[in-house]
Amino acid sequence: MPEIKTIECRFGVIDQLTLNDDKHTFTSPILKKVKIISGAKDKNLERLMNISIMEKASQVKESFTYAKALLSWLNFIEANNVNPYKPTALHYNSPTYGYREDLLLDVNENKDKKYTTASSYINYLRSFYEFLIRNKVVSDTGFFVYETASTGQGHIQSTDLRIKKVRKHGESLNPLNQKQAKRALLVINSMSERDRLFLNLMVGSGLRSQECNTMNAELFTIENLHKDDSFLIKEIEISPQVGVMTKFDTPRDLFITRPFFESIMDYIESEEYEALLSLYKKNNKSKKGYTPLFITTTGTAFDEYNKRNVWLKFKYIYEVRFGEKLNHKPHDLRATFGTNLLKLLTNAKNDVIDALDFVKDTMGHQNEATTLRYVRYLKNSKMLNKAADILDSFAAEILISAA
């Protein structure tokens, strides 16, 4: 049965022999322990895999994962009598596409592998076949096709073997349940004023972390507070135009209640904020119309690192206080806001389309499909009973107690 074994190898640059030399010598030799494959039925294939592993080991610090990926693939082709040297029209019998389908089965049905493991394994197999093609062991067609893939930060060369994670409807949503939310409120309100407001902007106004990081203190003025007497403060636009980095640079109105708005105003006028702002002004040039609401103790504007620290502090206090871990991410506070708002609106409004449009605009979703994930989550979760309790018992409690 195929297995991985450890051998010692010497890597370096070999000197060219001259007439006076009786043996090769290494320049800058390095001795490394390398994991290789042993016990394959096809000894020629075993030799090729191990040459490829040696090549990889000479280029990178760690080649063990590469060896594990090839061992996984070897087990697949031996168990299914797949010819590794010839492509086939039928994917299930292909040494590359067939293995890809086997990985997807392990991820989605058998749950034997994680998506990230499957993705790295198929990429390593592609590297091995590129090695085989480069050395003219197999043909350069039929095993995969090169294509361009978008990563969100640009384009990379990939192949049609690439495993893309397919999210099920509602899978990416993980809002806090009512018990967790009430406990979270108690923890949030025990934190420093700055951190309390930061987290409440996520759970009480549905902001993304980057929008919280870049929130503009100059939006919270007496003039904006007294535009009307409604419970919700209206017509306060957030966008890059006012320094708030919204997703897709799309402007939208901030969803915020009067008590919460006043709470932020009180913080801006506090000695704590004044001291932080003074430090910030020493280190940064002032920008007309923009002053960061959230400033660190070293006088810098909040960033993702600071957000992470606030979140870890919040989770630590939660675990100490309630004796259980909170397996959630910061974005889940925003998801909690969105699902609760949608519950309230679908309960109060006869027109579901109006409710969806309001949630879409409030959350800053670029299209309806994103908002519909919240509908699917609610439909699949058994949490639609007593929808009127949502803002009454939880969201309103959060927003009002933030005052």
Side-chain angles (χ1 to χ4, degrees):
M1 183 176 178
E3 61 181 347
I4 287 179
K5 290 186 175 180
T6 303
I7 62 170
E8 286 192 341
C9 296
R10 193 180 299 275
F11 293 91
V13 179
I14 194 167
D15 294 334
Q16 188 174 358
L17 282 173
T18 67
L19 292 175
N20 298 322
D21 294 328
D22 58 354
K23 63 179 180 180
H24 285 289
T25 58
F26 273 114
T27 301
S28 303
I30 299 174
L31 190 65
K32 292 176 68 173
K33 290 185 177 181
V34 180
K35 306 289 186 180
I36 64 166
I37 294 172
S38 175
K41 294 177 182 177
D42 185 334
K43 294 304 176 183
N44 182 55
L45 180 61
E46 180 180 304
R47 179 181 65 84
L48 290 168
M49 286 190 295
N50 287 332
I51 292 173
S52 175
I53 290 170
M54 295 294 182
E55 182 180 270
K56 183 72 70 175
S58 70
Q59 299 167 349
V60 298
K61 185 176 181 180
E62 190 273 320
S63 59
F64 181 38
T65 307
Y66 184 62
K68 286 199 300 183
L70 292 187
L71 178 63
S72 169
W73 170 75
L74 178 62
N75 286 329
F76 163 77
I77 64 169
E78 289 192 354
N80 294 280
N81 295 316
V82 173
N83 186 335
Y85 305 105
K86 290 185 179 180
T88 63
L90 300 175
H91 277 195
Y92 80 92
N93 205 31
S94 163
T96 51
Y97 294 110
Y99 179 61
R100 179 181 184 274
E101 291 179 4
D102 192 65
L103 286 173
L104 288 172
L105 185 65
D106 281 344
V107 171
N108 297 319
E109 294 186 24
N110 300 337
K111 309 295 183 184
D112 291 335
K113 285 187 179 67
K114 293 182 178 180
Y115 156 75
T116 50
T117 302
S119 181
S120 65
Y121 276 21
I122 201 66
N123 286 334
Y124 282 136
L125 182 62
R126 183 195 76 176
S127 295
F128 177 58
Y129 268 86
E130 287 174 335
F131 164 83
L132 295 178
I133 291 168
R134 192 165 62 248
N135 288 280
K136 302 188 184 305
V137 177
V138 298
S139 102
D140 61 356
T141 59
F143 294 102
F144 54 80
V145 177
Y146 285 107
E147 58 185 19
T148 301
S150 175
T151 65
Q153 298 178 341
H155 297 283
I156 59 171
Q157 187 182 57
S158 184
T159 71
D160 59 351
L161 291 176
R162 182 169 67 106
I163 293 177
K164 296 175 285 188
K165 188 174 184 180
V166 178
R167 291 181 174 177
K168 297 177 181 179
H169 294 316
E171 182 184 60
S172 62
L173 292 180
N174 187 29
L176 280 65
N177 61 38
Q178 197 163 16
K179 179 182 177 182
Q180 291 171 330
K182 288 186 174 182
R183 287 179 168 183
L185 170 61
L186 293 173
V187 172
I188 289 171
N189 285 334
S190 72
M191 298 176 74
S192 72
E193 189 68 2
R194 182 197 64 186
D195 295 351
R196 181 178 75 86
L197 295 175
F198 186 90
L199 294 174
N200 268 329
L201 276 174
M202 290 185 183
V203 75
S205 295
L207 297 192
R208 300 177 177 92
S209 61
Q210 180 64 8
E211 294 163 350
C212 292
N213 288 341
T214 57
M215 181 52 62
N216 188 353
E218 296 185 27
L219 297 176
F220 300 91
T221 63
I222 289 290
E223 292 75 20
N224 283 334
L225 178 66
H226 293 306
K227 282 184 177 180
D228 58 48
D229 296 327
S230 63
F231 182 68
L232 287 177
I233 306 297
K234 300 174 183 176
E235 298 179 1
I236 298 179
E237 185 180 279
I238 56 173
S239 71
Q241 296 283 330
V242 295
V244 182
M245 297 296 103
T246 54
K247 194 171 183 179
F248 310 115
D249 296 338
T250 304
R252 74 176 190 274
D253 285 348
L254 175 65
F255 182 98
I256 189 166
T257 64
R258 182 172 298 276
F260 191 17
F261 191 97
E262 291 173 343
S263 182
I264 294 176
M265 287 183 63
D266 289 342
Y267 172 67
I268 292 171
E269 295 172 1
S270 69
E271 291 182 2
E272 177 188 348
Y273 180 76
E274 287 293 338
L276 295 174
L277 182 59
S278 178
L279 276 174
Y280 174 81
K281 288 180 176 179
K282 285 181 182 178
N283 301 328
N284 300 274
K285 291 182 179 179
S286 61
K287 297 179 183 178
K288 186 178 180 181
Y290 179 78
T291 304
L293 177 60
F294 299 109
I295 304 171
T296 70
T297 54
T298 57
T300 59
F302 254 48
D303 57 21
E304 286 300 293
Y305 176 79
N306 304 122
K307 179 259 319 200
R308 178 177 175 274
N309 284 344
V310 171
W311 184 249
L312 291 177
K313 190 190 309 178
F314 162 74
K315 290 181 69 175
Y316 173 76
I317 298 172
Y318 187 101
E319 183 177 355
V320 169
R321 185 163 182 175
F322 300 109
E324 64 180 33
K325 289 187 177 181
L326 190 67
N327 295 318
H328 285 270
K329 299 176 181 178
H331 193 78
D332 296 337
L333 295 184
R334 171 176 156 85
T336 303
F337 170 83
T339 52
N340 288 336
L341 181 62
L342 186 57
K343 287 178 191 177
L344 172 76
L345 293 175
T346 51
N347 184 69
K349 282 179 172 286
N350 292 323
D351 194 334
V352 176
I353 300 301
D354 283 350
L356 288 173
D357 284 344
F358 183 83
V359 173
K360 174 178 175 292
D361 293 341
T362 299
M363 299 289 287
H365 293 154
Q366 193 175 35
N367 55 59
E368 292 79 3
T370 306
T371 312
L372 286 173
R373 293 210 319 269
Y374 288 79
V375 177
R376 295 185 184 106
Y377 173 83
L378 292 174
K379 183 179 178 181
N380 294 333
S381 67
K382 296 184 181 179
M383 291 170 60
L384 275 172
N385 57 318
K386 297 184 180 178
D389 289 343
I390 302 308
L391 281 185
D392 290 340
S393 62
F394 165 51
E397 185 180 352
I398 287 179
L399 301 174
I400 294 170
S401 63

